[in-house]
Amino acid sequence: MKYEPITIEEKWQKKWDEEKAFKVTEDPQKKKYYLLEMFPYPSGKIHIGHVRNYTIGDVVARYKRMKGFNVLHPIGWDAFGMPAENAAIEHKIHPSKWTHENIEHMKKQLKRMGFSYDWDREIATCEPEYYKWEQLFFIWMYEKGLAYKKRSSVNFCAKCDTVLANEQVEGGQCWRCGTEVTEKVLDQWFFKITAYIEELLDYCDKLPGWPERVMTMQKNWIGKSYGCEVDFPMAEGPGAIKVFTTRQDTLFGATFMLVAAEHPLVMELAKGKPCEGNVKQFVEKVKKQDKLMRTSEYYEKEGLFLDSYCLNPLTGWKMPIYAANFVLADYGTGCVMAVPTHDQRDFEFAKKFDLQLIVVISPKDRTLDPATMTEAYVDEGILVNSGQFNGMENTKVLEAIADFLTVQGKGKRTIQYRLRDWGISRQRYWGAPIPMINCEKCGIVPVAEKDLPVILPEKVVFSPEGGSPLASLPEFFNTTCPKCGGKATRETDTMDTFVESSWYFDRYCCPDCDTKPGLDRKKLDYWMPVDQYIGGIEHAILHLLYSRFYTKVLRDFGVIGVDEPFTNLLTQGMVCKETMKCKEHGYLYPEQAADGKCHLCGKDVIIGKTEKMSKSLKNVIDPDFLVKNYGADTARIFCLFAAPPEKDLEWSEQGVDGSFRFLSRLWRIVEEYLEDIKTVEPLSGVVELEEELKALRRKTHQTIRKVTVDIEDRFHFNTAISAVMELVNAVYQIKRPASSDKIALAAGREALEAAIILLVPIVPHITEELWQLLGHKDLAANVPWPEFDSTIASEEEMTIVVQINGKLRSRMTVAVDEDPGKIKANALADEKIKSMSEGTQIKKVIYVPKKLVNIVVG
RNA sequence: GCCGAAGUGGCGGAAUUGGUAGACGCGCUAGGUUCAGGGUCUAGUGGGUGUACGCCUGUCCGGGUUCAAAUCCCGGCUUCGGCACCA
């Protein structure tokens, strides 16, 4: 019988489905394990990235189940979002229909991969049963001041025709479509993520199960910095300009003031002065320039004198005030004290406008002369020209100056963050409606809880020009005020889809809960937090930060009982493949470049760089193709074998062949033995064996040990698989026992059963089939994980390496329990060692137990 | 520019704590197979050198610590990722 993956895979998938083999319920007697992979956006088809992500997760889920854990392993759909809406415009298909069809198809694909999900917990975030609760949480957040509306300048993507959060802008471009982001002023809803900023930061050091670099990225994103707020009084008249600085040690060197061009203060100061017209022009120019500036590498420092002065609070000197293009309006106070001698940007600015330079930090080995300086001095040094602080080290004077400013009432210590509140308004249709009402009389009023959900209307018109379809649907937005009953209009913005993905893992614990608040605390207390979360590194900031925030909000509502949603996080690497190009036809799909020739023109194919698989580069492998040609098991084992999970995986056609070959090899050896071992019990306990079988048995138990450690402690599936390959090789290697040699056959059966069971989490279909062939009635998926016997696994002999001065010279085989003194003596008595150390003096003999003897000679 | 990760055969990757570098797989070579081909099984496969037991050399480069370094320390190079006028 040949190994026919397609037949057996479909057979077992059907069986698992019928038996609901992976359905779970809360069981207080059993230890729970919540394994979660980032849920997919239903784009239409699964891609290799999904296959890799979900395979990694499935191995762990199946392994933990075999280890006796009560494993929650759910799946669902991140079903709201723009592509559905774009499809509606382009193909005249309703987003709902498009989404549901995609889910249907992708669900089939996932089932075809053999992932062990509890499908009864499947959720789709576009269903009112889901977003209803999100709307409830929104109202609660509104009542607590955690959701608020603000008129603000926002990042706007013209192509997507919607607003983007700061986190969704990458290098000045839209994270989704790459279009350049522009600024727009709109009324927007925000979540007050900054209310939890300290806790979010704090826990960055309390999540040891997260990769260091993800935590670093989050910390950077939060961007906490300690400094001072300092008041610079206006030279004439009342008032002062507030400035944030982390470098109060350079305060004595502040010689001019910079204000962000967009800052309202700029026009205020220029008002009525001769420069007003110029200033206005300048501000307009900078506003337009802004977006370009963000993306371009080079930038020209520009500024304009506002014909006003303020005073340095410590020196009392007059400081000219400039509007500048390189000062950020939304960081700190939007105003910066300029210290040209010790800040490169300020230095360049001062040179351009010929402004005063005063050195206040002096390097230890030389003296700085403002007249000859060619760049700012930004290193450490001793304070000069700084009154009572002269002679002190600048790094140590920060506290003293902060105290001094506080006592003098000229400033105070403050903390600044880079993180802004999370803008969640989207001017799109396919999202969860924001449950708010604008009443002419009462202002903003939340929808009454009893009226939830605010259902997304089905019948809408999409226009290619964009704009929210909801905003042109009177049946939707015309309503009455819940407070006064008067005429009112609904909010037509929908929520950012990152809101749905911020709590879906909670909902999985009780997907059918239909009583307020949609989350069953008892069930959540059993399952949460997620023990292991697995997904792409691309969500290091966005999704993971939002989810952490939302978890804390829900905790404070008493809805859940955990501080953090994900205890352990594994960020898997990308799947890459070489690109292929034809001079004439550009990038080619793999099937268009068979035999190294372009199938369109026959020209030689140029092999390009290896890059992340993407449709635009056409370096993609369709999972359907793999399943059809090799089966799901081969796709799974290859994804695991080619690289450890956190590293990028380079796709290799030949590697896939190799994986398939291994499975066939396993199949063949079992078949080879099948008749003879069908009725033989595998070995267990202590049995006297001849040398070859003893070695095989040792290998069997060593393999169990290694695979267990590799999966449990390190998620190193590649080495686990190679260990099983070795075991299979070992069975091939032994002499085929006679049909009557029951002991040898029992040892063979023990080895083969071990190989099969150890591979169950990795290649579940072939192993189910082989398990059944061996005469077992129960599902391999439910078999307990094997234990190893350390006595059987331990070697009786060991190879000791003999070195002279650290160089390998000889080896010897000794019993494991050999006396160390004897081993050393043997090493010295070794023929080769004797001849090589002749005429030298032995200075030292080092014995590393069970490893080597190093003889140091002089 | 700043921060972080990585660099090992022809290739993907092993080497858990400093202790036999290159497990396992791919590729390649040779051989067996009622072997057309493919498949399959067995053996070999870092480089150099020698008839051979062998010897020399070798984990990005240069130093250092150590009996012993892919692994630890210092300096540099390259690649990838993140942040980037944050005051």
Side-chain angles (χ1 to χ4, degrees):
Chain A
M1 210 168 50
K2 236 183 98 189
Y3 168 46
E4 278 172 359
I6 312 297
T7 322
I8 63 174
E9 287 177 3
E10 285 173 355
K11 165 182 161 188
W12 290 105
Q13 282 157 12
K14 203 169 148 228
K15 180 115 176 160
W16 296 329
D17 234 9
E18 285 166 359
E19 292 195 8
K20 288 194 186 285
F22 309 112
K23 187 177 169 61
V24 279
T25 48
E26 301 73 45
D27 178 354
Q29 305 306 311
K30 271 169 104 180
K31 217 170 163 216
K32 69 98 183 181
Y33 190 85
Y34 188 173
L35 184 124
L36 183 68
E37 301 122 31
M38 290 179 184
F39 68 165
Y41 177 78
S43 56
K45 290 175 100 180
I46 63 167
H47 53 72
I48 289 288
H50 291 129
V51 171
R52 187 177 190 205
N53 186 183
Y54 300 154
T55 300
I56 293 166
D58 198 45
V59 174
V60 180
R62 285 174 177 271
Y63 168 77
K64 288 285 177 184
R65 216 174 272 127
M66 291 169 82
K67 271 285 196 179
F69 287 87
N70 196 25
V71 175
L72 175 56
H73 188 209
I75 187 77
W77 309 95
D78 188 11
F80 273 138
M82 239 130 43
E85 215 162 324
N86 294 338
I89 295 164
E90 278 170 42
H91 304 114
K92 306 250 180 289
I93 175 169
H94 194 277
S96 167
K97 186 161 184 266
W98 186 84
T99 303
H100 285 100
E101 283 174 8
N102 286 349
I103 288 175
E104 226 23 69
H105 181 71
M106 290 173 76
K107 186 172 173 178
K108 273 194 197 125
Q109 289 185 301
L110 291 183
K111 287 205 169 185
R112 189 59 191 78
M113 289 304 302
F115 299 134
S116 63
Y117 296 122
D118 178 356
W119 282 100
D120 287 353
R121 292 174 185 266
E122 179 184 3
I123 57 173
T125 57
C126 61
E127 306 300 342
E129 297 77 46
Y130 184 82
Y131 65 72
K132 172 181 179 177
W133 307 113
E134 193 169 301
Q135 291 174 336
L136 177 69
F137 301 145
F138 185 100
I139 291 169
W140 289 357
M141 287 173 79
Y142 174 74
E143 285 161 355
K144 279 209 163 185
L146 290 169
Y148 64 92
K149 200 169 194 182
K150 188 175 80 178
R151 190 168 187 80
S152 70
S153 144
V154 291
N155 309 302
F156 193 84
C157 171
K159 188 170 174 206
C160 299
D161 195 34
T162 192
V163 162
L164 301 171
N166 286 343
E167 290 81 356
Q168 294 164 341
V169 180
E170 296 172 347
Q173 295 177 338
C174 172
W175 71 295
R176 199 180 268 282
C177 69
T179 304
E180 198 142 285
V181 171
T182 55
E183 286 196 50
K184 216 171 182 177
V185 177
L186 286 170
D187 281 326
Q188 296 289 309
W189 283 98
F190 288 87
F191 280 166
K192 203 167 188 179
I193 193 168
T194 53
Y196 286 86
I197 205 162
E198 273 302 319
E199 197 190 337
L200 288 167
L201 190 61
D202 241 29
Y203 273 86
C204 284
D205 297 321
K206 294 182 195 166
L207 289 167
W210 282 46
E212 188 69 38
R213 62 178 180 143
V214 174
M215 295 287 49
T216 312
M217 281 162 78
Q218 293 215 348
K219 278 190 210 168
N220 286 343
W221 192 264
I222 292 169
K224 182 178 186 174
S225 50
Y226 298 86
C228 279
E229 208 171 78
V230 186
D231 291 330
F232 287 69
M234 298 304 296
E236 286 153 46
I241 296 181
K242 264 195 200 317
V243 151
F244 172 75
T245 182
T246 55
R247 294 295 306 274
Q248 58 269 27
D249 56 324
T250 62
L251 193 44
F252 284 86
T255 51
F256 54 96
M257 175 65 63
L258 296 168
V259 184
E262 312 95 293
H263 200 292
L265 184 66
V266 170
M267 288 319 299
E268 240 171 75
L269 289 175
K271 204 168 181 188
K273 288 180 183 155
C275 65
E276 187 174 357
N278 286 341
V279 171
K280 203 164 193 173
Q281 256 183 5
F282 176 74
V283 170
E284 288 308 313
K285 185 177 140 200
V286 171
K287 273 186 180 167
K288 269 184 216 143
Q289 192 188 40
D290 201 26
K291 57 177 178 175
L292 291 169
M293 247 176 53
R294 284 221 179 105
T295 47
S296 74
E297 276 291 308
Y298 110 106
Y299 46 85
E300 173 85 30
K301 301 223 170 345
E302 290 180 64
L304 197 69
F305 182 45
L306 297 177
D307 207 7
S308 327
Y309 295 88
C310 61
L311 303 174
N312 183 312
L314 296 187
T315 62
W317 290 329
K318 250 175 125 180
M319 298 165 63
I321 305 170
Y322 282 77
N325 66 342
F326 65 97
V327 175
L328 301 175
D330 62 350
Y331 183 79
T333 62
C335 306
V336 180
M337 67 172 202
V339 184
T341 41
H342 305 293
D343 181 287
Q344 188 56 27
R345 296 158 295 181
D346 299 343
F347 182 85
E348 284 167 33
F349 195 88
K351 282 285 164 195
K352 189 165 172 177
F353 292 92
D354 200 18
L355 296 161
Q356 197 187 3
L357 277 69
I358 298 171
V359 171
V360 290
I361 296 172
S362 179
K364 286 173 183 165
D365 54 348
R366 63 200 159 101
T367 313
L368 293 174
D369 177 7
T372 57
M373 280 173 85
T374 54
E375 58 177 5
Y377 177 75
V378 295
D379 294 326
E380 297 174 4
I382 304 294
L383 289 201
V384 292
N385 299 323
S386 298
Q388 74 232 63
F389 301 102
N390 280 341
M392 296 170 78
E393 282 180 49
N394 77 304
T395 50
K396 291 186 180 153
V397 84
L398 286 164
E399 292 299 308
I401 293 185
D403 287 338
F404 181 74
L405 287 169
T406 311
V407 170
Q408 298 267 307
K410 290 173 176 169
K412 58 172 195 222
R413 282 197 180 77
T414 50
I415 289 164
Q416 275 296 325
Y417 301 93
R418 211 181 82 101
L419 180 71
R420 303 270 87 97
D421 277 338
W422 173 17
I424 58 134
S425 280
R426 296 292 180 271
Q427 294 70 48
R428 302 294 297 196
Y429 164 71
W430 194 234
I434 294 175
M436 288 289 154
I437 290 171
N438 292 302
C439 170
E440 286 165 16
K441 263 195 277 173
C442 314
I444 296 174
V445 183
V447 171
E449 284 186 16
K450 66 170 173 49
D451 294 335
L452 292 179
V454 175
I455 293 187
L456 199 57
E458 279 270 333
K459 285 200 163 176
V460 287
V461 181
F462 299 97
S463 77
E465 287 81 48
S468 170
L470 295 181
S472 51
L473 195 69
E475 309 91 283
F476 176 75
F477 65 73
N478 282 332
T479 186
T480 50
C481 173
K483 226 182 194 171
C484 69
K487 252 180 96 177
T489 55
R490 281 186 196 284
E491 173 65 63
T492 57
D493 282 355
T494 50
M495 287 190 244
D496 182 359
T497 57
F498 277 106
V499 181
E500 282 88 68
S501 55
S502 291
W503 68 286
Y504 75 107
F505 41 87
D506 296 318
R507 181 70 181 173
Y508 277 144
C509 300
C510 50
D512 302 318
C513 176
D514 57 2
T515 53
K516 187 174 148 183
L519 292 174
D520 182 331
R521 178 71 194 256
K522 252 192 164 155
K523 291 182 175 171
L524 266 82
D525 281 347
Y526 179 77
W527 291 115
M528 285 296 286
V530 173
D531 294 278
Q532 182 66 56
Y533 197 31
I534 306 172
I537 185 74
E538 64 271 23
H539 293 108
I541 301 172
L542 294 160
H543 162 57
L544 292 170
L545 190 63
Y546 294 151
S547 297
R548 294 182 58 213
F549 158 67
Y550 211 78
T551 298
K552 291 171 195 299
V553 171
L554 293 184
R555 175 201 61 194
D556 290 349
F557 288 151
V559 172
I560 57 176
V562 298
D563 297 320
E564 288 284 340
F566 316 121
T567 307
N568 294 290
L569 174 70
L570 175 72
T571 48
Q572 107 251 5
M574 298 179 302
V575 181
C576 305
K577 192 181 181 310
E578 64 196 6
T579 49
M580 288 182 289
K581 241 179 173 171
C582 163
K583 267 195 179 141
E584 210 168 310
H585 299 96
Y587 286 113
L588 299 172
Y589 286 110
E591 61 271 22
Q592 298 177 312
D595 316 320
K597 305 273 183 209
C598 171
H599 83 309
L600 292 168
C601 60
K603 284 205 184 81
D604 281 345
V605 170
I606 306 154
I607 304 288
K609 241 176 107 180
T610 296
E611 306 230 39
K612 179 186 176 178
M613 278 192 191
S614 75
K615 272 188 201 145
S616 58
L617 299 173
K618 300 193 175 179
N619 56 342
V620 288
I621 297 287
D622 183 2
D624 285 346
F625 165 87
L626 286 172
V627 168
K628 219 175 99 202
N629 287 278
Y630 299 95
D633 280 340
T634 297
R636 292 172 61 121
I637 200 171
F638 174 72
C639 280
L640 298 166
F641 183 62
E646 67 278 5
K647 280 184 62 169
D648 284 352
L649 183 155
E650 198 181 319
W651 196 262
S652 143
E653 207 59 54
Q654 285 162 338
V656 178
D657 281 331
S659 297
F660 181 77
R661 221 175 297 167
F662 168 65
L663 295 180
S664 308
R665 202 167 143 82
L666 174 70
W667 180 271
R668 267 195 310 276
I669 193 79
V670 173
E671 211 175 33
E672 158 75 20
Y673 273 78
L674 192 56
E675 271 316 304
D676 285 345
I677 59 174
K678 239 182 185 165
T679 54
V680 175
E681 283 292 311
L683 281 186
S684 71
V686 182
V687 183
E688 276 301 314
L689 292 170
E690 51 133 323
E691 203 40 58
E692 191 186 46
L693 294 176
K694 203 173 192 175
L696 176 67
R697 202 163 184 223
R698 192 181 303 129
K699 186 79 184 171
T700 301
H701 285 257
Q702 286 174 344
T703 305
I704 297 172
R705 181 171 60 195
K706 173 141 181 70
V707 172
T708 307
V709 168
D710 282 352
I711 295 182
E712 177 87 43
D713 301 353
R714 317 196 299 164
F715 292 158
H716 277 201
F717 313 113
N718 54 337
T719 51
I721 292 166
S722 65
V724 180
M725 285 175 169
E726 284 184 57
L727 178 61
V728 171
N729 288 347
V731 180
Y732 267 90
Q733 219 84 129
I734 60 162
K735 195 170 86 242
R736 173 70 165 83
S739 302
S740 55
D741 190 349
K742 298 297 179 202
I743 298 284
L745 289 171
R749 176 156 185 150
E750 188 189 21
L752 290 173
E753 286 206 347
I756 290 166
I757 291 301
L758 293 174
L759 286 173
V760 165
I762 292 163
V763 281
H765 312 89
I766 185 174
T767 47
E768 285 286 4
E769 184 71 18
L770 292 174
W771 191 242
Q772 190 191 45
L773 285 176
L774 284 173
H776 295 282
K777 297 277 178 282
D778 47 349
L779 281 178
N782 295 332
V783 167
W785 190 253
E787 302 277 342
F788 64 89
D789 183 324
S790 54
T791 317
I792 298 169
S794 69
E795 300 279 352
E796 296 172 336
E797 290 181 327
M798 54 189 183
T799 304
I800 297 291
V801 167
V802 186
Q803 300 179 331
I804 295 179
N805 288 347
K807 282 193 178 178
L808 175 69
R809 291 300 179 215
S810 181
R811 290 166 219 270
M812 53 191 194
T813 305
V814 301
V816 172
D817 52 3
E818 186 62 274
D819 170 60
K822 187 88 185 294
I823 291 173
K824 280 198 211 181
N826 283 355
L828 289 165
D830 185 280
E831 289 288 336
K832 255 186 260 166
I833 300 303
K834 256 175 143 173
S835 69
M836 291 196 76
S837 59
E838 216 171 328
T840 57
Q841 201 192 346
I842 293 170
K843 288 186 174 164
K844 211 174 182 184
V845 179
I846 296 154
Y847 174 57
V848 181
K850 299 184 181 186
K851 299 266 187 203
L852 56 79
V853 176
N854 189 13
I855 299 160
V856 185
V857 300

